[in-house]
Amino acid sequence: FKVRYSDELLEEIRSRNDIIDVISQYVTLKRSGRNYFGLCPFHNEKSPSFSVSPDKQIFHCFGCGVGGNVFHFIQKIENISFVESVQILAERVGVKLPTLTSYEDEKVAKLKAKVYDVNQFTAEFYHKNLYRPESKPGQEYIKKRKLDNNTLKSFMIGYSGQFDELYKALRKEGFEDEEILASGLVNKSEKGMYIDRYRNRVMFPIQDVRNRVIAFGGRVLDDSKPKYINSPENIVYSKGRNLFGLNVAKRFNPGVMKRLLIVEGYMDAISLFQRGITNVVASLGTALTDAQGRLLRKSTEQVILGYDADGAGQAAIVRGMEILQSMGCDIRVLQISGAKDPDEFVIKYGPDRFKKYMDDAISVVEYKVKNLKKELNTDNVSDKIKFLNAIAKILSEVNNNMEREVYVDKIAQTYNISKQAIYAEINKRLYSSKGASPKTLEAKPNVIRPKQEEKVDVLFAEVETLDK
């Protein structure tokens, strides 16, 4: 049995969600004529072919062909059902929705709801368990990390028990085996025994931006491996689509944050929060994903990458920069010294010094140039030429002419290279990519405009006929 929201209700929600405002949370848009243009979030491109019409309240990509209204955009960008997109946009503008049967298969929808309930019960169960006398190992770890009750409560930190304690508690609460197994919190052995996935570990519930518990991470307290066990992906959890602690950061920093620091691990984020740095989240794994990048893009004006100083952390910075740059984010890179990660640094040197490092976080260009300098000896003529060519390549990718000029001035002074030489190399790359020869020493802006506004309007008229 399937039901749909009334056309009148859908129209109210759509009219109250301006498509420019909604899409601007994910894509950097610039006005050109009557419409707005940006890089398409649904396929890789260097020239903006993604168009949004404020008059018709629809979008269309002339590169990959995707298009529709604000519901379709949220549905595709968040990889969710149409009904879920309606729910998100209704919540955004304060429209209360009637209770309806989802477009999803009714059985699957009910199972998802039950798994959310299982997760919530489990988070509360583990949190209460932390304070029991039998949980002394977990309490010792919390004491060692100097975590106070406010932090424990904000992140719902807990402690898992023995063998099948959770399974028994869930069954006693009335949950069925199918629901419990679907959550990934309990495994069933070949002999038919039900065993808790997490045993004798400090537990970190993972919540989405709607404060729903979707997964868990569990840290071992001895030298056994693995150090962390994380929930498998399941009916309510997709690792690459969420950020640990974003719901907490939003609670303490409502609205669009001025800046947001992203770190690698649970304890990095929790330790910083404990010491007053509340605008911090952790990626659930080292590599940042496109979906996580979109979450950051719509949550903050500036993203500071604060990954560890090891090889994996530095590789993650490069990957993160690529993703966030393609989305038009203002990116900075944290540069700390004297500690292997933010957790160790803030404990060792305190929050004030850490905040100073956040204030001094460097730009993407500065980070790339700094890494180049480590690899090349600019006192050597051959290396200095390689350095100049590499810098020119980096600067040719900077689209803002004023920003590029600032970097050229700084690099010319710092490394004793003439500005004319740098501009000449930049222009070689800019013009060769367009199949032309450089004519001036000044870098020209990369402005992309539709060739014919009339063609754009005709295509928008076609898009407007999409199903509502």
Side-chain angles (χ1 to χ4, degrees):
F1 176 66
K2 298 180 180 180
V3 184
R4 68 189 297 270
Y5 295 114
S6 69
D7 290 340
E8 292 78 14
L9 181 59
L10 290 176
E11 184 55 38
E12 180 187 358
I13 296 168
R14 180 162 54 176
S15 66
R16 291 174 63 175
N17 279 281
D18 180 72
I19 197 167
I20 300 297
D21 291 341
V22 172
I23 293 181
S24 291
Q25 292 183 310
Y26 301 85
V27 180
T28 299
L29 298 174
K30 294 182 180 179
R31 184 153 201 155
S32 180
R34 289 187 294 274
N35 302 312
Y36 289 77
F37 290 82
L39 294 174
C40 180
F42 305 120
H43 81 285
N44 293 324
E45 62 176 8
K46 293 185 178 179
S47 299
S49 60
F50 182 83
S51 310
V52 188
S53 168
D55 300 330
K56 298 179 174 64
Q57 289 290 297
I58 54 178
F59 72 94
H60 181 75
C61 176
F62 298 102
C64 66
V66 66
N69 58 34
V70 68
F71 295 124
H72 299 124
F73 179 83
I74 291 297
Q75 182 180 357
K76 186 165 181 63
I77 198 86
E78 297 289 356
N79 191 30
I80 56 179
S81 69
F82 180 81
V83 167
E84 287 174 311
S85 74
V86 173
Q87 292 167 346
I88 287 173
L89 291 170
E91 185 177 322
R92 182 177 184 268
V93 294
V95 173
K96 189 173 182 180
L97 293 173
T99 302
L100 297 176
T101 301
S102 172
Y103 277 97
E104 298 175 287
D105 178 79
E106 187 176 5
K107 183 178 178 181
V108 174
K110 286 181 177 179
L111 182 59
K112 285 181 72 171
K114 283 293 185 180
V115 170
Y116 282 124
D117 290 341
V118 167
N119 288 342
Q120 184 64 35
F121 174 87
T122 300
E124 294 171 2
F125 177 82
Y126 284 152
H127 184 65
K128 292 174 185 174
N129 196 43
L130 178 63
Y131 297 94
R132 292 168 56 195
E134 303 93 305
S135 303
K136 191 173 181 181
Q139 294 164 9
E140 288 297 323
Y141 178 81
I142 297 302
K143 185 178 179 181
K144 178 183 175 183
R145 303 312 294 255
K146 299 179 180 178
L147 303 181
D148 60 27
N149 281 326
N150 178 52
T151 299
L152 296 177
K153 184 177 179 181
S154 294
F155 290 93
M156 295 181 71
I157 296 171
Y159 187 70
S160 55
Q162 303 288 334
F163 196 67
D164 62 353
E165 285 183 11
L166 174 64
Y167 173 71
K168 288 178 179 176
L170 287 166
R171 288 293 296 173
K172 186 177 179 180
E173 189 67 15
F175 293 107
E176 300 293 334
D177 286 345
E178 181 188 14
E179 301 153 6
I180 296 170
L181 292 173
S183 72
L185 288 163
V186 174
N187 296 321
K188 186 177 181 181
S189 72
E190 293 180 359
K191 295 181 179 180
M193 298 177 66
Y194 292 90
I195 306 168
D196 296 350
R197 174 181 292 274
Y198 301 100
R199 301 181 299 280
N200 302 317
R201 289 175 179 263
V202 171
M203 299 301 300
F204 305 102
I206 300 165
Q207 295 175 269
D208 62 16
V209 292
R210 300 167 72 180
N211 293 304
R212 298 178 300 187
V213 180
I214 55 175
F216 294 83
R219 190 192 193 284
V220 71
L221 299 179
D222 55 24
D223 295 328
S224 60
K225 301 293 181 181
K227 183 177 178 181
Y228 279 96
I229 292 179
N230 299 305
S231 290
E233 297 205 353
N234 56 54
I235 196 169
V236 301
Y237 177 56
S238 175
K239 181 176 69 173
R241 304 192 69 81
N242 296 277
L243 291 163
F244 176 77
L246 182 57
N247 64 310
V248 178
K250 284 180 172 291
R251 192 183 313 148
F252 284 83
N253 305 272
V256 176
M257 286 169 266
K258 182 179 179 182
R259 64 185 183 184
L260 187 59
L261 172 68
I262 180 167
V263 293
E264 278 187 40
Y266 304 120
M267 278 311 305
D268 286 320
I270 293 168
S271 184
L272 291 169
F273 173 88
Q274 168 77 46
R275 290 157 182 84
I277 300 162
T278 58
N279 55 332
V280 59
V281 298
S283 53
L284 299 163
T286 305
L288 192 73
T289 66
D290 289 341
Q292 289 171 327
R294 289 192 291 271
L295 272 178
L296 291 167
R297 171 74 175 77
K298 68 177 183 178
S299 300
T300 184
E301 295 175 10
Q302 182 184 94
V303 179
I304 301 177
L305 298 171
Y307 291 116
D308 295 355
D310 58 18
Q314 295 305 296
I317 287 175
V318 173
R319 170 63 175 159
M321 288 191 302
E322 291 174 355
I323 288 174
L324 294 170
Q325 274 186 307
S326 70
M327 297 176 181
C329 291
D330 178 8
I331 316 162
R332 297 288 186 271
V333 182
L334 186 71
Q335 301 281 280
I336 57 174
S337 58
K340 69 178 186 298
D341 56 37
D343 175 24
E344 182 181 294
F345 185 95
V346 76
I347 292 172
K348 190 174 180 180
Y349 299 108
D352 291 339
R353 189 166 172 183
F354 188 86
K355 288 176 183 177
K356 178 67 167 59
Y357 274 86
M358 285 180 67
D359 292 337
D360 295 337
I362 61 176
S363 68
V364 169
V365 170
E366 290 172 300
Y367 176 80
K368 289 181 177 179
V369 171
K370 184 177 179 180
N371 281 356
L372 272 175
K373 185 67 175 66
K374 290 179 184 176
E375 298 171 3
L376 298 170
N377 176 16
T378 52
D379 293 331
N380 176 284
V381 173
S382 178
D383 274 8
K384 192 167 185 176
I385 292 170
K386 290 179 182 177
F387 184 63
L388 172 59
N389 286 327
I391 284 175
K393 182 178 184 300
I394 292 169
L395 293 179
S396 67
E397 296 169 355
V398 176
N399 290 321
N400 185 295
N401 278 351
M402 292 181 66
E403 182 183 354
R404 184 189 293 152
E405 186 173 345
V406 169
Y407 289 133
V408 169
D409 284 343
K410 186 172 182 179
I411 291 168
Q413 292 176 18
T414 304
Y415 300 106
N416 193 27
I417 303 171
S418 75
K419 290 196 289 184
Q420 289 78 9
I422 298 174
Y423 274 124
E425 290 302 315
I426 291 172
N427 277 294
K428 276 184 187 177
R429 285 159 178 76
L430 288 176
Y431 283 92
S432 64
S433 66
K434 297 174 184 177
S437 300
K439 297 180 181 179
T440 71
L441 288 177
E442 297 301 320
K444 291 188 176 182
N446 298 326
V447 179
I448 309 295
R449 293 190 178 89
K451 292 181 179 179
Q452 293 182 14
E453 189 72 31
E454 293 78 9
K455 288 185 178 180
V456 173
D457 285 336
V458 168
L459 283 165
F460 265 133
E462 294 173 0
V463 177
E464 198 172 12
T465 63
L466 287 170
D467 290 340
K468 297 181 181 179

